[in-house]
Amino acid sequence: MSEKSGFSASAATGIGSMPGGDAREAARTVTGSFADGQGMPYLAELPARGPGADMTGRTIGLLVEMYGHVEPSGWRVSDRPGRDTRRARSWLGEDLDALEEFTQGYEGLLKVQAVGPWTLAAGLELRGGEAMLGDPGACRDLAGSLAEGLRAHLAEVRRRIPGAEVVLQLDEPSLTAVLLGRVRSASGYRTYRAVDRQVVEGTLRELLAVNGGGPTVVHSCAPEVPFALLRRAGAGAVSFDFSLLTEREEEAIGEAVEGGTQLLLGVVPGLEAASTPLSDPGGSVKEVRTLWSRLGLNPGTLSESVVITPSCGLAGASPAYARAALAHCARAARSLADNPE
């Protein structure tokens, strides 16, 4: 991430999903939680509304000349835009209207999320019921359609909120499974062959480039995030659940930070838990300071390198907890900046 992208000035944000089905309430929360430059607002997803509002359905609604509908097994490719695709597009329009209303005069970073090409290929079925992932040609077509759709979507966001510097986040929770050949077939008795790492990297590079040099993030709340591959693909930042980090990955984290990659660290629980009340912002980032020390990184780089987030989306939380979690992310980020050691 280049210095000019300004992530360090927006030290907290959310992942994407929010609870409930009220677009205006969600927009009010994701903008109000990060008022006064305390974080990065984002275009919320509200999956509780049903198919088409989930992250996969929303992204299918963005595709160009490719459509989908819901089967009992999940999303499947369609010949023409049906009810499910139309619903996805309608809800996206409603969410954009709400965000536009609460960002009048806003200037700064604004994040939008879409499912990345490999998680989408793993989750979208061909007409016969198998995942697109098993068909290299279908994967190429899907990536091309997604790239074209994202260009139009980003242009629309910029038109509605002209003061925003739009950050593109690709959600890739299935990426590691795709790379390691762990995605199960429709029958469940076999797995799809691992996709060549260079093919995965090249496709991600093409999709990230859609933002035209603007800030980009790849998010995964799954274990074993492929940090080095994402850096090579051009991701300016990597977003992940900090609790899933293992010692094996720490060297890659250090190399990423030293190479200028920023980290969106999921340290605040996505669900309310009696054992972890949101009362100690400094405690929430204690392990981040410890990691920095263990890697021998300069504590002064923390505020430049780290953005604090919930561990994953907040769709399963109560509205009250979602508001509290985002506010806590902002307070924890301030604590990290004020007391890096």
Side-chain angles (χ1 to χ4, degrees):
M1 182 82 51
S2 64
E3 193 173 321
K4 68 181 177 59
S5 66
F7 258 40
S8 58
S10 293
T13 191
I15 299 301
S17 66
M18 293 289 287
D22 187 330
R24 293 186 74 254
E25 180 58 30
R28 181 186 289 113
T29 298
V30 300
T31 54
S33 299
F34 304 124
D36 304 319
Q38 294 302 315
M40 178 165 47
Y42 56 97
L43 178 63
E45 301 154 357
L46 301 174
R49 292 182 296 196
D54 58 299
M55 69 178 195
T56 300
R58 163 161 289 181
T59 303
I60 288 169
L62 295 174
L63 297 176
V64 173
E65 295 183 3
M66 191 175 284
Y67 316 102
H69 67 278
V70 178
E71 293 279 345
S73 55
W75 283 91
R76 184 171 294 182
V77 167
S78 300
D79 293 323
R80 58 185 63 84
R83 179 184 61 187
D84 296 325
T85 297
R86 288 194 294 270
R87 185 189 293 127
R89 292 173 176 174
S90 174
W91 274 328
L92 174 58
E94 185 180 309
D95 294 338
L96 284 168
D97 288 344
L99 186 65
E100 183 179 5
E101 177 184 347
F102 287 98
T103 50
Q104 293 295 311
Y106 175 75
E107 294 184 356
L109 294 168
L110 178 75
K111 184 164 68 71
V112 299
Q113 307 82 219
V115 176
W118 295 108
T119 296
L120 196 60
L124 181 57
E125 298 173 355
L126 294 166
R127 289 171 185 83
E130 292 293 341
M132 273 194 159
L133 186 64
D135 184 333
C139 288
R140 287 192 294 272
D141 291 344
L142 179 63
S145 175
L146 178 58
E148 196 171 340
L150 280 174
R151 284 190 193 94
H153 179 47
L154 294 171
E156 174 69 3
V157 173
R158 292 186 180 104
R159 184 188 69 78
R160 287 171 174 261
I161 310 165
E165 181 180 9
V166 180
V167 178
L168 172 62
Q169 174 179 304
L170 296 180
D171 292 318
E172 283 283 13
S174 298
L175 183 60
T176 299
V178 168
L179 288 166
L180 298 180
R182 295 176 181 169
V183 178
R184 293 208 163 273
S185 65
S187 68
Y189 293 123
R190 63 180 181 88
T191 56
Y192 295 105
R193 182 179 300 173
V195 181
D196 181 87
R197 296 180 79 86
Q198 290 187 332
V199 173
V200 170
E201 182 183 321
T203 302
L204 283 170
R205 185 180 296 109
E206 291 170 12
L207 267 295
L208 291 167
V210 164
N211 204 24
T216 56
V217 184
V218 177
H219 166 73
S220 174
C221 50
E224 302 176 79
V225 176
F227 292 99
L229 182 148
L230 295 176
R231 289 177 58 213
R232 291 194 304 270
V238 181
S239 170
F240 60 99
D241 182 343
F242 188 73
S243 71
L244 299 179
L245 191 66
T246 66
E247 284 186 25
R248 246 188 355 262
E249 295 156 309
E250 288 188 3
E251 184 179 347
I253 290 283
E255 290 175 355
V257 171
E258 290 177 342
T261 303
Q262 290 183 293
L263 306 177
L264 277 65
L265 302 182
V267 300
V268 176
L271 293 172
E272 189 167 10
S275 59
T276 53
L278 299 180
S279 56
D280 180 11
S284 294
V285 290
K286 178 182 177 183
E287 291 302 318
V288 179
R289 295 189 184 96
T290 301
L291 173 65
W292 236 246
S293 174
R294 195 159 60 240
L295 293 175
L297 296 169
N298 180 357
T301 64
L302 269 169
S303 62
E304 302 166 8
S305 303
V306 167
V307 176
I308 298 301
T309 74
S311 58
C312 213
L314 295 168
S318 67
Y321 180 76
R323 288 191 296 271
L326 293 180
H328 189 81
C329 286
R331 289 194 297 271
R334 280 200 300 275
S335 169
L336 199 60
D338 293 343
N339 304 290
E341 296 189 68

